[in-house]
Amino acid sequence: MSTLTSQMSISLDGFVAGPNQSVENPIGEGGMRLHQWALATDSWRAQHGVEGGEHNIDAQVVEGLMRDNGAYIMGRKMFGGGDGPWDESWRGWWGEDPPYHVPVFVLTHHAREPLEMEGGTTFHFVTDGIESALEQARGAAGERPVAVAGGASAVRQYLAAGLLDELYLHVAPVVLGAGERLLEDVGDPVLEPVEVIASPVVTHIRYRVAR
Amino acid sequence: MSTLTSQMSISLDGFVAGPNQSVENPIGEGGMRLHQWALATDSWRAQHGVEGGEHNIDAQVVEGLMRDNGAYIMGRKMFGGGDGPWDESWRGWWGEDPPYHVPVFVLTHHAREPLEMEGGTTFHFVTDGIESALEQARGAAGERPVAVAGGASAVRQYLAAGLLDELYLHVAPVVLGAGERLLEDVGDPVLEPVEVIASPVVTHIRYRVAR
């Protein structure tokens, strides 16, 4: 059975988004500071159709993050478009060719037909819970890993349910002081650091979640 | 001028002590889980007069933690003995030969004569604030570093005041869920990871605090 992974940038005080998240600013005030390490890399930029950037150890980490995944799961807020029934003109944040290139299963309370984008990404909208989404994502991924793309709530739910196999944290040397915490109400998971990669701007720690 | 450093074991969700701290259990419920990596080493055990333990990468980290410091600062709770005026029969948690072997400046609201222990440790009780304690500790340390030994409140105060030069965190792969946070109400310090040491049970990250 394919593994379920997730990777998140997190502040030194445990936040994965800043305070006052909104439709206009889904990552909250100061939240972009958590992602500067990635945005500075050539590999992130190439994935998002932007030129330039640095080719450093962090760029190699970014390259590895999306290479192998056979399917993604994401929360409704991460897909965006506001709460409630769908405005079907909303097709995600990423333009017509999203950086996923495999099926993406969106957790939502509101049904919607699958949305086929360019480049291999199709968004499927799942209304019957996280286990159903995982089953469907595994069906699509075959032997390849399934990744919970975010947001924090989706990752928390899979971790708390004991369904996550790996949590890869990018610890940014930033103190946000407020915002949305990742590791709250997740029980007492047994984690084991299995890989650590250090750069001058972030520390990448891959944790295996023991069963 | 000698540098001011601190090192702390911290949970993945940001706690340096568990909930319900008390005189009997100053580290709180589950707080000892943060220190298992150190307690398992031969070097920690030797420092505390106990035989055995593992000689591994974490043992080397422990050896380095106390080797160079010329003086320590600690909060009243870390020295112990309860709140309020001193019961002078209380001589700290560490027996007659504490593991410091240099002067230790205890932040307190209650004056007390210096307490000379065996092995070079003398506890000085400072009632006129963190800057005075730092000045006295620097006077005692000469060129060597001064370390804030703890607890969390003392470290927070020096960090928030912009007086800390280095924060060395030992990130334990433990989710405590509740307790005392280290990085709360410390403002927005600019941190730079300058050294990372990984072991199977903990990730050591040394941060330089920029000015």
Side-chain angles (χ1 to χ4, degrees), chain B residues 38-75:
Chain B
L39 273 56
T41 65
D42 61 354
S43 46
W44 188 91
R45 289 172 181 236
Q47 286 171 4
H48 292 78
V50 186
E51 286 187 9
E54 304 204 24
H55 189 67
N56 52 21
I57 183 81
D58 297 320
Q60 293 176 39
V61 168
V62 168
E63 270 171 36
L65 294 180
M66 302 187 80
R67 192 171 41 208
D68 299 328
N69 298 321
Y72 291 88
I73 297 169
M74 69 171 61

Side-chain angles (χ1 to χ4, degrees), chain A residues 12 171 173 196 198-203 205, chain B residues 3-8 10 37 57 60-69 145-147 164-171 190-198 203-210:
Chain A
L12 205 45
V171 184
V196 177
S199 94
V201 293
V202 65
T203 309
I205 312 178
Chain B
T3 57
L4 183 64
T5 74
S6 186
Q7 56 90 17
M8 296 236 114
I10 188 167
W37 70 269
I57 183 81
Q60 293 176 39
V61 168
V62 168
E63 270 171 36
L65 294 180
M66 302 187 80
R67 192 171 41 208
D68 299 328
N69 298 321
V146 174
L164 203 65
D165 298 296
E166 183 186 288
L167 181 61
Y168 193 13
L169 296 182
H170 316 290
V171 183
V190 177
L191 302 168
E192 186 188 343
V194 292
E195 184 184 17
V196 176
I197 298 172
T203 309
H204 311 277
I205 312 178
R206 190 187 302 274
Y207 291 98
R208 194 176 71 83
V209 185

Side-chain angles (χ1 to χ4, degrees), chain B residues 152-166:
Chain B
S153 170
V155 179
R156 268 198 303 272
Q157 289 177 59
Y158 281 103
L159 183 58
L163 296 169
L164 203 65
D165 298 296
E166 183 186 288

Side-chain angles (χ1 to χ4, degrees), chain A residues 117-176:
Chain A
M117 311 296 288
E118 294 170 16
T121 301
T122 298
F123 294 107
H124 300 269
F125 300 90
V126 180
T127 57
D128 53 350
I130 65 169
E131 301 202 9
S132 169
L134 177 55
E135 191 179 330
Q136 293 179 56
R138 283 202 162 120
E143 296 294 303
R144 299 163 74 192
V146 174
V148 184
S153 170
V155 179
R156 268 199 303 272
Q157 289 176 59
Y158 281 103
L159 182 58
L163 296 169
L164 202 66
D165 298 296
E166 183 186 288
L167 180 61
Y168 193 14
L169 297 181
H170 316 291
V171 184
V174 168
V175 177
L176 280 188

